[in-house]
Amino acid sequence: MNSRRNFIKNVVLTAGGISIFSAQDAAANILATNQTNPSETLKSVTIAGKVTSKGKGLANVIVSDGFNVVQTDKSGNYKFQSSNQAIFVFISLPSGYKIDQQKNGSADFFKKIDKNKSVNTCNFDLSKLKDSDINHHFLVLADPQIQKEDEAEMLLTETVPDVVETIKHLNSTNVFGVGCGDLIWDRHDLSQKYNQAVQNTQIPFFQVFGNHDADLEQRSDELSTTTFSSMYGPQYYSFNRGLVHYVVLDDVFFIGRDKQYIGYITESQLAWLEKDLSFVPKGSTVVVFQHIPSFTRHFERYPQEKSLGAMVSNREYLYEVLKPYNAHLMSGHTHFNENIEIESNIFEHCHGTVCGAWWSGPICQDGTPSGYGVYTVEGNDIKWYYKGTGLPKEEQFRVYKKGENPEYLDNWSVNIWNWDDKWNAVWLEDGVEKGNLVRVRAKDPLSVKLHGGAQLPARRKWVEPILTDHMFLFRPSEDAKQITIVVTDRFGNTFTEILDNK
């Protein structure tokens, strides 16, 4: 197997890099801040408080410590005995209320539990939104993954202005963002740059824990989120906007050996999710954000490769919990774009990345532009598109003429990166429709040009082009003068490109 194109190198078991905290320091910090002393590790803490808005208690707000899940009473009060393993108490922000922000721009919906106190009083005061959030929008930014100062600057000067323009175009007061993991690349000292990027968007962000956001030298999975949680709070939680229930999960499980991890959802999270969803009406739309995709077809494209870090090993149990709902699973991690209808009620969106092929140019390894997902919610319905950084939103495919694809020299090729099975693509010759484009498993010619070979790309020489399932072929007549490609997405939006047949 080509070691430079090795999928494990790119997305899975290795996590090497720089950490500014040692395992001993982080473990000591956890013990000092979250426990009384080792002999009292089983002592529970009483958590009580009130959820209010303008001084009035709010009923039926969900409050949790990641283990217990309770609902406020008619006066807005709640009380429970917290698990000793719990670090935070947080609310599942109800629809119709503002997403408060921390100074770093990320959502503020939690409070730290003081294990030295037998009773913690944790009150939450919410502000009512001016406009209804029945219709709202969210952006999914997967894998900014900054490792160097110049990459942080590219995030700030290229990605953020593009995001700001997209938000302006949405023309809505109800927009939030999601950092879908690998916010940094093992460089916690660059987190300030990432946070600055979030602040510059001027919308609240929810953060997802990724394998490159971890404290790498920790002895256990439980301690690997220490630095992440110190900035962004709990690594799994939920919130609501309009009629949609949103869930954030941590599916990166470090096994405590050689910095390795697997895609896995712990029992504590699954049990918490069952409790959390018990308050959500069956048939509702539920959106789940997680860094590692629950499923990808990469191993169908590369059956010789094996990895437990590329998708979630116990995903069937997640699907079972989500069975009563219409679920959309949002992920990143792979540095390619893929949309899969897992079951009739479960849709997996694996996003192309903000950093593309690790800040090595304008595209990911599959030819998808560096970019992010844009989602519009109207009631229970969700529509989406993929926004390439620096590209108009209408640019949804790339065309290669005859001779430009080294694998199919006699054909024209089209990479339709956000394709799913409800899309359609045809070509016309001199205004006359000739047929559907034929889907093939192939590499993107631009990726071959930019990433292929031992010396390319210069920034990350191990990056290589990869097979994708969103490449299409057609062979126009030699005497046709003008070729038109028409691509229609699942929502009826049509994208067209007209080229001379030369």
Side-chain angles (χ1 to χ4, degrees):
M1 187 189 306
N2 187 324
S3 61
R4 290 179 301 102
R5 201 208 51 76
N6 190 333
F7 188 67
I8 295 176
K9 170 79 173 179
N10 295 341
V11 302
V12 289
L13 294 180
T14 60
I18 301 170
S19 177
I20 60 173
F21 297 99
S22 70
Q24 292 83 359
D25 289 343
N29 181 58
I30 286 284
L31 291 172
T33 57
N34 297 321
Q35 298 179 1
T36 52
N37 62 60
S39 65
E40 296 181 333
T41 55
L42 297 180
K43 180 185 289 186
S44 65
V45 176
T46 300
I47 308 292
K50 191 170 186 176
V51 182
T52 59
S53 181
K54 290 186 176 180
K56 182 179 179 181
L58 297 178
N60 303 321
V61 177
I62 304 304
V63 185
S64 178
D65 63 353
F67 299 90
N68 300 280
V69 182
V70 301
Q71 202 171 34
T72 58
D73 64 19
K74 62 181 181 180
S75 300
N77 297 307
Y78 73 92
K79 184 177 182 180
F80 60 86
Q81 294 298 117
S82 177
S83 165
N84 186 263
Q85 299 176 50
I87 301 173
F88 299 98
V89 57
F90 53 91
I91 60 169
S92 183
L93 181 68
S95 299
Y97 290 88
K98 179 183 176 183
I99 303 171
D100 290 327
Q101 292 174 262
Q102 305 175 65
K103 290 182 179 180
N104 62 19
S106 294
D108 188 359
F109 56 94
F110 58 91
K111 297 183 184 298
K112 187 80 173 287
I113 297 173
D114 187 345
K115 298 295 182 66
N116 294 311
K117 294 181 179 179
S118 60
V119 178
N120 277 223
T121 301
C122 299
N123 298 320
F124 297 88
D125 186 53
L126 308 180
S127 300
K128 191 76 174 175
L129 289 172
K130 294 181 181 179
D131 302 318
S132 170
D133 58 1
I134 292 295
N135 297 336
H136 60 273
H137 310 266
F138 62 92
L139 312 181
V140 179
L141 277 66
D143 301 72
Q145 208 161 334
I146 49 177
Q147 190 186 45
K148 301 178 180 180
E149 290 285 346
D150 64 330
E151 293 168 357
E153 289 305 312
M154 284 189 276
L155 175 66
L156 286 164
T157 61
E158 297 176 11
T159 304
V160 170
D162 193 276
V163 170
V164 170
E165 281 300 308
T166 295
I167 294 168
K168 181 179 179 181
H169 175 78
L170 292 174
N171 191 29
S172 171
T173 58
N174 286 313
V175 184
F176 67 89
V178 179
C180 209
D182 282 2
L183 313 180
I184 47 93
W185 189 352
D186 308 332
R187 288 280 304 276
H188 290 297
D189 57 309
L190 290 178
S191 293
Q192 185 177 357
K193 293 284 190 179
Y194 173 77
N195 292 337
Q196 184 62 57
V198 167
Q199 291 170 305
N200 289 356
T201 68
Q202 298 186 336
I203 61 171
F205 262 70
F206 295 91
Q207 307 297 354
V208 179
F209 179 73
N211 52 288
H212 286 294
D213 301 315
D215 295 318
L216 298 173
E217 302 298 335
Q218 298 292 6
R219 67 184 186 183
S220 65
D221 177 68
E222 288 80 1
L223 293 178
S224 67
T225 60
T226 302
T227 302
F228 176 90
S229 292
S230 72
M231 292 185 287
Y232 308 121
Q235 71 267 31
Y236 62 92
Y237 52 92
S238 68
F239 59 96
N240 303 274
R241 297 282 87 186
L243 300 179
V244 179
H245 186 67
Y246 293 92
V247 175
V248 171
L249 295 178
D250 168 13
D251 63 358
V252 179
F253 189 92
F254 278 87
I255 65 173
R257 187 186 70 189
D258 300 328
K259 303 172 185 176
Q260 295 182 7
Y261 62 90
I262 63 174
Y264 179 79
I265 301 173
T266 60
E267 173 58 27
S268 60
Q269 287 187 79
L270 290 171
W272 167 83
L273 182 59
E274 288 176 321
K275 296 174 186 177
D276 178 77
L277 291 178
S278 70
F279 295 97
V280 178
K282 290 178 172 56
S284 298
T285 297
V286 175
V287 176
V288 179
F289 301 104
Q290 52 194 24
H291 179 59
I292 299 175
S294 71
F295 177 75
T296 170
R297 292 201 171 100
H298 177 86
F299 298 109
E300 296 176 10
R301 296 187 285 270
Y302 291 97
Q304 75 277 15
E305 294 184 3
K306 306 294 180 184
S307 171
L308 293 176
M311 52 189 183
V312 177
S313 296
N314 59 339
R315 57 187 173 275
E316 296 297 335
Y317 299 100
L318 173 62
Y319 298 162
E320 185 63 28
V321 174
L322 295 172
K323 191 173 182 178
Y325 306 94
N326 295 312
H328 291 265
L329 307 182
M330 309 282 173
S331 60
H333 187 56
T334 64
H335 296 253
F336 57 72
N337 203 69
E338 190 170 37
N339 294 296
I340 303 173
E341 193 166 355
I342 304 294
E343 296 180 9
S344 61
N345 70 313
I346 297 177
F347 199 109
E348 175 87 49
H349 307 257
C350 183
H351 296 80
T353 57
V354 168
C355 71
W358 296 267
W359 299 106
S360 294
I363 61 172
C364 303
Q365 291 174 286
D366 67 337
T368 299
S370 307
Y372 50 94
V374 182
Y375 293 80
T376 295
V377 180
E378 297 178 349
N380 271 308
D381 295 328
I382 300 181
K383 296 181 180 180
W384 59 87
Y385 66 91
Y386 185 86
K387 176 65 174 66
T389 303
L391 303 178
K393 62 174 289 190
E394 293 77 18
E395 189 163 332
Q396 293 293 315
F397 60 88
R398 186 184 306 111
V399 181
Y400 302 96
K401 294 183 177 182
K402 179 180 177 180
E404 294 181 339
N405 187 335
E407 293 182 89
Y408 298 95
L409 290 171
D410 293 331
N411 293 268
W412 285 44
S413 304
V414 183
N415 189 341
I416 310 173
W417 42 78
N418 212 32
W419 176 273
D420 66 54
D421 289 340
K422 298 291 175 61
W423 286 48
N424 185 58
V426 299
W427 93 92
L428 293 78
E429 298 179 10
D430 300 324
V432 178
E433 185 173 321
K434 290 296 182 177
N436 291 306
L437 276 59
V438 177
R439 191 179 183 189
V440 295
R441 181 168 288 171
K443 296 175 182 178
D444 177 81
L446 181 58
S447 180
V448 172
K449 179 180 179 181
L450 297 179
H451 304 148
Q455 300 305 312
L456 294 175
R459 180 177 289 266
R460 316 274 190 222
K461 292 182 179 180
W462 43 263
V463 171
E464 287 292 320
I466 61 172
L467 293 171
T468 179
D469 288 327
H470 47 68
M471 188 67 67
F472 295 79
L473 303 177
F474 69 99
R475 186 179 296 181
S477 304
E478 293 292 339
D479 57 353
K481 295 180 180 179
Q482 191 176 73
I483 305 299
T484 302
I485 298 98
V486 180
V487 175
T488 305
D489 71 10
R490 63 166 38 229
F491 307 113
N493 300 307
T494 298
F495 312 98
T496 303
E497 187 165 352
I498 302 172
L499 302 102
D500 293 330
N501 186 20
K502 293 182 180 178

